[in-house]
Amino acid sequence: MRIPKIKIPKKYLKIGAWVLGVFLIICIALGAVAYSKREALLKKMVAKAISKANKDYGLDVKIGSAGFTGMSTVKMTNISVVPKDRDTLSNISELSVGVKLFPLIFGNVKLAEVELSNGFVHVVFRDSTSNIDFILKRKKKDSTENTGKANLPEIANNLLNQVLYKIPDDMDMKNMVFRFNDHDTAKLSFATTATIDDGDLKSTINVNEGESTWHVDGLVEPGKKQLSFMAYADGKKLELPYLNNKLHAKLSFDTLQTELKDAGYSGDDYKISGSWSVKNMLINQARIASNDIIVQSAKLDADVLVGSNYVALDSSSTAYLKNAEIHPYIKYTLGKNKIYELKINADEQDAQAILDGFPQGLFESLDGLKVQGKVKYNLNFYLDTKIPDSVRFSSTLTPVNFKILQWGKTNLQKINSPFVYTPYEYGKPMRDITIGPENPNFTPLNAISKNFINAVLTAEDPSFYTHNGFVEESIRKSIAVNFKEKKFKRGGSTISMQLVKNIYLSRQKTLARKAEEILIVWLIEHNHLVSKQRMLEVYFNIMELGRNIYGIGEASRYYFGKQPADLTIGDGLFLASIVPKPKASMYKFMADGSLKPFMFNYFRFMGNIMARRGLTPGDTSGYGFYNVRLREGLRQYLAPDTAEIDTTAFDDDDEDGMAPVIMQDKNKNLFDRIFGGANKKDSAIVKPADTTKSKKQLRQERREQRRRERELENGG
């Protein structure tokens, strides 16, 4: 296809040439004037900047000399910055800064080159002050002035651009020292030499005068919004003892790499794509694990979205642990009522690859475990802080032709045969207990009274025989309760989880131990390694039911002088009531060996639930409450009926992290969780019934009582 020629009259060409020529002459003239006046303009700008720094930030800024050394390069010497009544923040002998002219026309200061030599930046924290307080004060002032609705995508775009614009195309930094002083108790120094040559970054950082040498190398292309950095140390792992001491932890790694791949608007959202990876990262922190945990290889390819009122890690992101892959989705919605969302999706993949991807030392008892088959995992969590009771939670690990080929450090089927159990109190072993026929206190499941079995199952784990180790509804309600109370008040452990915690794991309260507990429960339940009957039998023979009282055999003889088979419904309900806080068991009794009156409501409440389920006959007299009698030989150790005793002194080792309840009866089971009990003081005095209530009020209270009972019966 031929493009037709466009014929422009010569007179129009002449007019255009004249206009262009005049424009060029004007630009050259203005440029010449500006060039001749630039030194004066520079001095004026420097004076204005110094005045503004003093007025707005309280900074005393001094510059020995400042002048142009090229078309757009400014050289300054002897620069010092001292906050008012604080230690010197910075001192630089020589600094040259060049800017790009084209972005400057549009008001953007984009650095072209930077040369810096012989200087320091010194951050000092002393008492309750620091020499960077001015930054925090200024931010606070800015936040109070900004009363309009924040545009988060625009803020993210501007912030990233400001950072990128400050990265020069070329840089030469020599003998620049960054120091940190924390109340004269800990000091850090980083003597840095760095260059950027056509985007190629090289640096050498001398840490604490020879303690170690770090390098941060990479490629910087701020114009394309692309950055790549890798940090490592010479001849050793990269670590910082100061931070480790501050965090009471040990953290080190071979290499740490981060990359900014792209950033820009995606519709109304602002999208930042990047990645973070680490090699041989070592973590040791008491709350995470009691031993070193080593992450051999981990990487996150992330797409971060900044929306009008939220920040999210998009589901297109992928996390890698060696050869295992998962897709996380995290969203935080801002506003008067915040919303938290978390989703994790791991597509069907090799089960052994998943196990091998776990950090070394995370699951000690499973070290060496070999499996075959595949697994997939899905987690969904949603919490609207306005309506926490509507929290959503689901977690599913699905096996596909999964099979255990070789046990690891621990044989998960060991409890199918007689074994030795060692209970611990406050980190110390109490005694060895044989769980088997050779122990005279061992009681087979068929020799334990149904009254006791049904009472414990009703109070602790009503769906034990039907769940696979976990009850999502119970976990969901625990999340809601704990969020509303702003503390860990309610746990979601099943009998399976309690058994695994006591038999296979250490008693240390760490995140690693909790994760290991969950994985072992799944392995046992989904692979049917131990029958439900055997799990329950072992649980009843190891459970703590008093001070140094373990198992139903010891407990039934200790409290009542009976065999486990002879326990009444009242005996069973009492023993079930002390399971959460067994060390406070004796303070439920009066001096004559009968139960204190406050226990009556518990008996009636739990008994009614058991009766509706067909586990015991209905009883309007309290389900054996008045027939429970402590063995006569123990009554001499009871406190007087009028004594008020704080039972928090007897059991503060709460595995579920539940806060102590200030009341004589400190037990925290399902009954207590529903009806509360915090800050109540128990005594032997029974308050008279409130006869001032109307019949309508009494009916409403009865309906509320029945509603709560139904909620508990349905798995609450």
Side-chain angles (χ1 to χ4, degrees), residues 557-614:
R557 296 177 181 87
Y558 177 77
Y559 291 107
F560 309 118
K562 297 180 179 181
Q563 295 294 327
D566 300 327
L567 294 173
T568 66
I569 182 63
D571 299 334
L573 284 170
F574 163 75
L575 291 172
S577 76
I578 70 172
V579 170
K581 298 293 179 185
K583 292 182 179 66
S585 59
M586 295 293 285
Y587 300 94
K588 295 183 184 244
F589 290 102
M590 298 179 67
D592 65 354
S594 62
L595 288 170
K596 291 183 177 179
F598 74 86
M599 289 294 296
F600 180 80
N601 285 338
Y602 175 87
F603 273 62
R604 184 177 61 182
F605 180 77
M606 297 302 297
N608 285 338
I609 294 175
M610 294 173 64
R612 285 200 299 272
R613 293 178 176 178

Side-chain angles (χ1 to χ4, degrees), residues 74-99:
V74 175
K75 181 178 180 180
M76 294 177 283
T77 62
N78 299 324
I79 307 164
S80 68
V81 180
V82 183
K84 185 178 180 180
D85 300 325
R86 299 286 189 270
D87 296 270
T88 299
L89 177 63
S90 179
N91 195 307
I92 299 173
S93 295
E94 192 173 295
L95 173 64
S96 295
V97 179
V99 299

Side-chain angles (χ1 to χ4, degrees), residues 5-76:
K5 293 182 179 180
I6 300 175
K7 204 168 184 180
I8 302 175
K10 289 184 178 180
K11 66 176 182 178
Y12 292 118
L13 292 175
K14 290 181 179 180
I15 293 172
W18 273 102
V19 170
L20 181 60
V22 171
F23 178 76
L24 290 175
I25 291 172
I26 292 173
C27 289
I28 292 171
L30 290 174
V33 173
Y35 185 82
S36 64
K37 300 289 185 179
R38 61 178 186 160
E39 292 291 345
L41 290 172
L42 176 63
K43 290 182 179 180
K44 187 176 180 180
M45 291 175 62
V46 168
K48 185 177 180 180
I50 291 175
S51 176
K52 183 176 178 61
N54 185 270
K55 180 180 178 182
D56 292 350
Y57 297 97
L59 299 177
D60 180 14
V61 179
K62 294 181 179 179
I63 300 176
S65 64
F68 282 92
T69 59
M71 180 67 71
S72 59
T73 301
V74 175
K75 181 178 180 180
M76 294 177 283

Side-chain angles (χ1 to χ4, degrees), residues 315-346:
S315 57
S316 59
S317 305
T318 305
Y320 303 88
L321 287 170
K322 295 182 74 172
N323 295 323
E325 298 182 17
I326 63 172
H327 300 284
Y329 172 78
I330 304 172
K331 185 177 180 181
Y332 173 59
T333 303
L334 293 79
K336 185 177 180 181
N337 300 296
K338 299 176 177 60
I339 299 176
Y340 304 91
E341 296 177 66
L342 170 64
K343 294 180 181 179
I344 295 178
N345 176 46

